[in-house]
Structure formats: structure tokens, C-alpha cells
Amino acid sequence: MLRLNLDDFPTARRVTYLNSASISLMPQPAIDRMIEFQGKIASGGTIGFDEQAETQALEDARSEAASLLGADREEVAVLSSASEGICSFAWSVDLKSDANVVSTDADFPSVVYPWIRLSQERGIKVRLAKNHDGLVDEDELEKLVDDQTAVISISHVEYGTGQRFDLRWLSELAHSHGALLIVDATQSAGLMPIDVHRDGIDALVAAGYKGLLGPFGAAIFYLRRELVERLTPAFVGWRSTATPFELDAAEFTLASDARKFEYSTMNYVSPVGLAKSMRYLREVGYENVTDHVLSLTEKFIGMTRNNRRLSEATLLTPEDENFHASIASFRFKGRDQSAVATELVKRGVIVSQRFNGVRFSFHAYNMEQDLLRANQALEETLVK
Ligand SMILES: Cc1ncc(COP(=O)(O)O)c(C=O)c1O
């Protein structure tokens, strides 16, 4: 049972906010914490923000991420974005020119582009499983993986359709061919269960501003312990070392843990806000959040399909609920999808147009009332 104080999300009371897959609403205690933290630094500089405070700014987010993912703290770096994490991984893995990397053409560009860039540099091949109306067939994906595959790079939950892949299946597929699995969990972290050790994940990234209810500018990056030891980061800077505040340009010893993938000053208010949001979610209960969003997804799909006035709606999300997460996407026959999304927004139902469809995405602050309002607004929009 999900218990959450809606007063912590004033916007969710005012409008029907079904856009957490784009930018989530942050809980008010996390917003307050960010304002206080940033205000103190902006007006006081180093007064009240010393080296210890600077180190500590990332530690709460690191601990929350480790606890969420079932990882050890030494396996977690706190970076600025998910794209940064995938690039960092891609350029740290030693790829031979005859290697290939497997992904899908329905994936978020940042999951694929770093490998395309590497293919230009090192001649590796990038193999993309083709989507059919947004969906990727697991058998087709499996056929692309062979003993030359070095990496499978894929989202846990696809941003356009909400298709969710089985992480265990992906890691077994990768490992049976000696490949590594990097998962982009931006659309699932905080929403769907992930246990990096149990699921056999080698590397994982998640931006903070979606399922984790955090701000822009902070993302979590997990790397399996053995890879932390084996990989050398492509980018390094003053914070990559074991003793960053010694600032000794002549002494370069990388940190022995995943902190070696952190390299520069960052917008520290972001990890501070992210840590507070993750703590908030942990207190609500991650399992409760999963049950809640899955139930909203099923109800919304059922409601929309059973509504005879919405017969123009084609579901882009998989039919099988085992592949669902917190996203339901529809394509409205003969309609400009962008115009439908814009019309819904005008009616106070905040959604996004993605993948030539309209994407509805749910989080802990959404209630059944939101589903009814969205359905009503859809009827009004499509009747026009
Ligand atoms: C799956 C996925 N990965 C990554 C991103 C972007 O992450 P970032 O801006 O932190 O690089 C998005 C944003 O929509 C996304 O959906």
C-alpha cells in the first residue's frame, strides 16, 4: 500500500501530471534542501562549504544508489548525466576492431551514439535490432549477439513505448557470448526492481530526473567490482584520484573504487537534491512504488482500450503485462500525435509525444483520479 503526502507535490494536485518519463516532479523536501544548500554556497562561498563538505556532497547519493541497486558503495560513481556514464564506459572498454556492440533502433540515442562514434574511430560494428511499431522482438535481438559481441547496450525500459526487458535474460545472453551488459535504467530506476548483483549487470546508468524524482545534473553509474578494478577511465581530472585535495599534478594515482570515474567539480546541489529524493522514495517504499505504477499502467491501458469512444487508439506498449513498467503509449489513428499531446496539455493533462505516439507515464504521485481525467481529456480531444 502506497502512502504518500500529495502536499509534497503541489503540481500533482493542480494538474494531471503524467510525464515522469520526461521530467518528474520533485518532492518538496528535496526542493527545499536544494534551495538551502545552493543558497549557502552562492552567498557564502567556502564559508560553510569546506573540503569535507565538498566530499560529502556526493556521498549520500552514492549510499542511496548502492542501497537501491543492491550494489556496494565502491561500485557506484555519481556523475552529471546518464549520457556521460555510457560514454565513459564505452571509451574505457578495450574494443578490438572486429568486435560488435548490440543495441536496438528504438533505444534512447545516448544508449547507441557512443558506440557509433567508436565504430568511426576503431572500426567496430554496431548492430541494432529493428523495432516494429516501437517494439523490439527479443528473438531478433538474440540473433544479433554472437561470440564477437563485446557489449550489449540497452535500456531496461524503453523511453518511447515502455517496453521492459528482463535483466536476467539480457545478462545471460551477454555472458553466454563473453560480452558485457550495460543497462540504461533511466526509465526504470526508482520504479522497477533492480538488483545489479542478482541480475548479473556489468554496468548501469540512470539519470536522476525521472524515476528517481531528482533534479537535472546528477546521475548514478554502477560498475561491477571486477570492472572497477580492470577499467581505466577515459576522462580523468583532479577528483579521479585517491586523494583529490592534495592537488599534486605530479602524483597520479587513480582512486581504487568507482570514484575514479568522477573527475571534476560538479553542480553539487544536484546530487544533494537527488539523495534527498531517493531517501524520500525509500521511505515511501520502492516496492510500494513499483506496485502502484504497475497498477496504474494496467488500469490506464484497460480503461483506454475499453472506452469505445477511443477506438482510434492503438497501444504501442507491449500487450503482455510482463513487459510493462510505468509507461503506456498510444498512437491515435489518422491524428497528428503531436497535436493530440498539445491538446491534452492544454486540458491540464501533461504528457509527451514520443515515437509517433502519445506517452503517458506514471509515478508515485499519480492517483486513479488522474487516469480518469486523462481518459476524459482524450475523449474531448479526439471528438474535436
Ligand atoms: C533511457 C534514457 N536514457 C537517457 C536519457 C537522458 O539522460 P541524460 O540527459 O542524463 O544524459 C533519457 C531521457 O529521456 C532516457 O529516456
Side-chain angles (χ1 to χ4, degrees):
M1 176 70 184
L2 181 113
R3 283 212 181 75
L4 174 141
N5 184 355
L6 258 194
D7 290 340
D8 290 335
F9 300 91
T11 301
R13 281 205 185 281
R14 202 165 42 79
V15 298
T16 299
Y17 195 86
L18 302 180
N19 220 7
S20 59
S22 195
I23 305 173
S24 266
L25 304 178
M26 286 184 68
Q28 196 61 45
I31 300 173
D32 295 344
R33 174 77 184 108
M34 287 179 73
I35 292 168
E36 179 211 319
F37 180 91
Q38 189 59 34
K40 207 163 136 193
I41 299 177
S43 63
T46 54
I47 304 164
F49 190 68
D50 56 13
E51 292 175 3
Q52 203 190 343
E54 186 164 352
T55 306
Q56 191 54 38
L58 271 66
E59 294 313 311
D60 291 343
R62 195 187 317 281
S63 299
E64 289 292 343
S67 132
L68 169 66
L69 300 173
D72 299 326
R73 285 169 47 86
E74 294 73 26
E75 297 174 306
V76 178
V78 180
L79 304 180
S80 298
S81 73
S83 303
E84 183 189 16
I86 302 172
C87 285
S88 197
F89 178 77
W91 288 91
S92 306
V93 178
D94 185 22
L95 296 175
K96 306 277 174 289
S97 60
D98 59 352
N100 68 70
V101 172
V102 173
S103 189
T104 88
D105 69 357
D107 224 313
F108 193 76
S110 299
V111 179
V112 178
Y113 287 174
W115 308 106
I116 295 183
R117 174 71 187 84
L118 265 164
S119 74
Q120 297 167 341
E121 190 86 3
R122 302 209 185 140
I124 62 155
K125 296 273 174 303
V126 177
R127 298 177 174 174
L128 301 180
K130 289 203 174 2
N131 78 86
H132 306 281
D133 265 347
L135 296 187
V136 173
D137 185 296
E138 289 190 324
D139 292 338
E140 288 181 33
L141 181 72
E142 186 169 353
K143 280 192 198 124
L144 296 181
V145 182
D146 61 22
D147 289 349
Q148 296 302 109
T149 305
V151 176
I152 298 179
S153 177
I154 195 164
S155 287
H156 183 194
V157 171
E158 295 294 0
Y159 77 102
T161 59
Q163 175 173 14
R164 175 164 57 98
F165 292 99
D166 184 323
L167 294 173
R168 267 299 261 287
W169 175 78
L170 281 170
S171 69
E172 279 165 15
L173 176 62
H175 298 160
S176 65
H177 291 279
L180 297 173
L181 172 66
I182 178 165
V183 172
D184 183 336
T186 297
Q187 295 291 357
S188 62
L191 293 157
M192 294 292 123
I194 301 171
D195 183 324
V196 284
H197 292 165
R198 184 201 61 203
D199 295 333
I201 296 169
D202 298 302
L204 177 144
V205 297
Y209 57 93
K210 300 182 196 272
L212 298 173
L213 301 186
F216 289 151
I220 57 181
F221 175 58
Y222 158 81
L223 201 55
R224 185 159 56 79
R225 184 179 292 274
E226 186 234 320
L227 290 172
V228 170
E229 286 161 15
R230 182 150 61 90
L231 300 188
T232 305
F235 301 139
V236 292
W238 72 274
R239 274 188 53 236
S240 317
T241 70
T243 50
F245 288 98
E246 287 188 7
L247 298 174
D248 182 351
E251 169 53 42
F252 176 59
T253 308
L254 285 169
S256 58
D257 55 21
R259 282 190 309 107
K260 69 184 181 184
F261 285 85
E262 298 166 5
Y263 51 85
S264 64
T265 308
M266 70 184 284
N267 189 20
Y268 294 120
V269 66
S270 297
V272 166
L274 176 62
K276 189 81 179 166
S277 291
M278 291 180 74
R279 181 174 173 174
Y280 183 95
L281 276 173
R282 180 161 54 80
E283 287 169 0
V284 169
Y286 283 113
E287 283 178 23
N288 296 331
V289 174
T290 302
D291 292 346
H292 183 71
V293 295
L294 278 174
S295 149
L296 292 178
T297 303
E298 298 321 322
K299 281 187 184 138
F300 189 66
I301 290 176
M303 197 184 269
T304 307
R305 302 188 103 191
N306 294 334
N307 184 339
R308 272 189 278 115
R309 290 170 192 240
L310 299 181
S311 55
E312 304 162 52
T314 307
L315 182 66
L316 295 178
T317 306
E319 294 287 340
D320 184 343
E321 60 185 65
N322 290 313
F323 297 95
H324 288 172
S326 58
I327 292 175
S329 292
F330 291 91
R331 185 170 294 157
F332 299 97
K333 212 163 87 198
R335 301 282 176 154
D336 174 343
Q337 310 302 313
S338 205
V340 174
T342 305
E343 193 59 38
L344 289 173
V345 171
K346 272 195 211 148
R347 289 168 195 278
V349 177
I350 315 301
V351 293
S352 285
Q353 183 261 313
R354 288 285 184 281
F355 239 92
N356 197 22
V358 180
R359 181 183 68 186
F360 302 81
S361 51
F362 312 105
H363 213 310
Y365 45 71
N366 294 123
M367 302 294 146
E368 252 181 88
Q369 193 64 23
D370 292 319
L371 308 184
L372 296 170
R373 284 206 206 102
N375 241 259
Q376 175 72 33
L378 262 178
E379 279 187 24
E380 291 165 8
T381 301
L382 296 176
V383 157
K384 269 179 61 171

